Amino acid sequence: MKNVMVGIDTSNYRTSLCLATEDGEIVAEAKKLLRVKEGERGLQQSEAVFQHVMNLPELCDQLKLQEYQVKGICVSEKPRPKDGSYMPVFKVGEGLGKSLSLFLRVPLYLTTHQEGHIAAGEFTADDRPANDRFLAVHLSGGTSEILSCKRIETGYQIDIIGGTIDLHAGQLVDRIGVALKLPFPAGPYLEELAKEVDRAETSTEEFRVSSSVKELTFSFSGPENALLRAIKEKMATPAQIARATEQCVANSLEKALRNAMEAGHGREVLIVGGVAANLYIRERLIKRLEHPAVKGKLFFCDPAYTGDNAYGVAMLGWMKAKGEH
């Protein structure tokens, strides 16, 4: 029987379970997106909690725990590793984790959703930052932060040094996507729609909206208003508006990360979270920030694990277990 760590993550978007070995092999995983009604832009916490409660028995059964030697349970108990960080959805996973720990008589390790994203990025990227201290960007529907990260024995020491002052990158993508009649969450659909600009046989004038960046912070509320106005007034095609949304996110990040590098926060950057799956944004950031004049080095999570998942949580469990010995 393989020795495994059970990872559990119950976020705003997905119920996720994962079994991983100490060397990072995923031996089983089960995850399910939370259902959002057509035209809606998210879920209330009460509805998300209910869906997690209903999803977990089915997903637990898929893991076939009896076929493995469980060495511990690791669960994301809150959004971020800081005092006062709280969200009801994570208490569903924490409750399951505590129950499994008692029933199986194995250690329980607690971590956070954000650390899980960073660990998933490090363990699935083609390469990882060489230095123990590096920059991380967490881009999702609930977070858009620039972080100063330091690897420690049991996970990460994280300080927020920048990010959005209003809407998150994922919120911008979802709100514009829903306004364009795309399904929620809109990220993959908006990316596919934007590709129509590249496939167009005749070139058209590029439609763009301005990015709003001040030092290490950025704002998406102004661009959101401009994009919604463009949809309402038919100032551009849906594909052009989708591409302008991607450009705005990429440009905002590029400017803020340049400023972070110039301020001495390092030039190695790990980019994680659901929005990091967007290939256009990835390629644009690589082109601009890995330019010889900038000398940045970017690392990206495997697209399959940019979204909410429990793999990084499971690997943090192994880190914490090692730290105890």
Side-chain angles (χ1 to χ4, degrees):
M1 290 181 121
K2 288 188 176 181
N3 292 338
V4 299
M5 182 70 63
V6 179
I8 304 171
D9 185 73
T10 50
S11 72
N12 279 335
Y13 295 93
R14 180 178 279 143
T15 315
S16 305
L17 301 173
C18 181
L19 304 183
T21 63
E22 190 173 357
D23 62 3
E25 178 192 357
I26 297 172
V27 298
E29 62 181 337
K31 48 192 176 183
K32 189 172 184 178
L33 275 173
L34 303 186
R35 300 183 307 277
V36 178
K37 292 180 181 178
E38 186 175 350
E40 296 291 326
R41 302 191 300 193
L43 288 172
Q44 292 185 345
Q45 285 286 295
S46 58
E47 173 60 23
V49 165
F50 175 75
Q51 289 196 38
H52 283 312
V53 170
M54 298 302 291
N55 289 343
L56 282 171
E58 174 193 343
L59 298 182
C60 284
D61 185 52
Q62 292 177 26
L63 290 184
K64 301 188 184 325
L65 281 175
Q66 69 276 10
E67 297 181 6
Y68 306 97
Q69 185 67 48
V70 176
K71 306 302 287 187
I73 313 291
C74 190
V75 56
S76 53
E77 63 167 337
K78 58 185 181 180
R80 297 173 181 81
K82 65 178 183 180
D83 292 340
S85 181
Y86 168 77
M87 201 169 280
V89 284
F90 293 105
K91 293 303 166 186
V92 183
E94 183 182 352
L96 173 63
K98 288 178 176 177
S99 298
L100 284 174
S101 171
L102 290 168
F103 181 75
L104 298 174
R105 297 182 180 180
V106 295
L108 174 70
Y109 305 105
L110 298 177
T111 187
T112 68
H113 181 71
Q114 188 167 72
E115 289 172 281
H117 269 296
I118 293 169
E122 285 222 87
F123 281 97
T124 66
D126 293 335
D127 196 7
R128 62 173 66 185
N131 297 308
D132 281 339
R133 186 177 289 279
F134 55 91
L135 286 170
V137 179
H138 182 186
L139 287 180
S140 69
T143 307
S144 291
E145 294 174 341
I146 300 174
L147 310 165
S148 175
C149 290
K150 181 182 179 182
R151 295 189 194 102
I152 57 177
E153 198 171 34
T154 57
Y156 302 95
Q157 177 184 308
I158 297 174
D159 295 306
I160 301 171
I161 61 171
T164 182
I165 60 172
D166 42 48
L167 290 181
H168 300 299
Q171 283 181 303
L172 176 68
V173 169
D174 286 333
R175 290 184 180 189
I176 300 307
V178 170
L180 289 169
K181 310 299 183 186
L182 300 176
F184 180 97
Y189 304 99
L190 184 132
E191 182 176 7
E192 193 60 35
L193 177 60
K195 290 177 184 177
E196 292 182 11
V197 172
D198 304 321
R199 294 193 289 260
E201 293 183 3
T202 57
S203 60
T204 56
E205 186 177 347
E206 188 176 39
F207 172 75
R208 303 183 69 169
V209 296
S210 298
S211 54
S212 176
V213 180
K214 183 177 181 181
E215 297 179 350
L216 308 188
T217 63
F218 43 87
S219 168
F220 289 128
S221 60
E224 180 200 20
N225 290 334
L227 290 161
L228 290 175
R229 184 169 62 251
I231 294 171
K232 182 178 180 181
E233 299 178 6
K234 295 184 168 65
M235 297 164 59
T237 68
Q240 289 173 317
I241 291 168
R243 175 50 54 82
T245 305
E246 294 177 318
Q247 284 179 332
C248 179
V249 173
N251 290 348
S252 299
L253 280 177
E254 177 200 341
K255 293 174 184 177
L257 285 171
R258 276 178 180 259
N259 293 340
M261 292 176 187
E262 291 169 6
H265 290 290
R267 295 184 182 271
E268 292 185 306
V269 187
L270 174 68
I271 303 181
V272 301
V275 180
N278 184 289
L279 187 60
Y280 175 86
I281 294 174
R282 286 185 179 221
E283 292 179 344
R284 191 175 182 89
L285 289 174
I286 290 170
K287 180 179 179 181
R288 299 298 183 89
L289 294 177
E290 291 194 344
H291 190 280
V294 182
K295 299 180 180 177
K297 177 61 178 174
L298 304 190
F299 306 86
F300 290 93
C301 182
D302 183 317
Y305 291 92
T306 52
D308 295 349
N309 67 88
Y311 175 53
V313 174
M315 296 313 298
L316 282 162
W318 283 116
M319 294 166 70
K320 291 175 183 295
K322 289 181 203 173
E324 288 185 350
H325 300 296

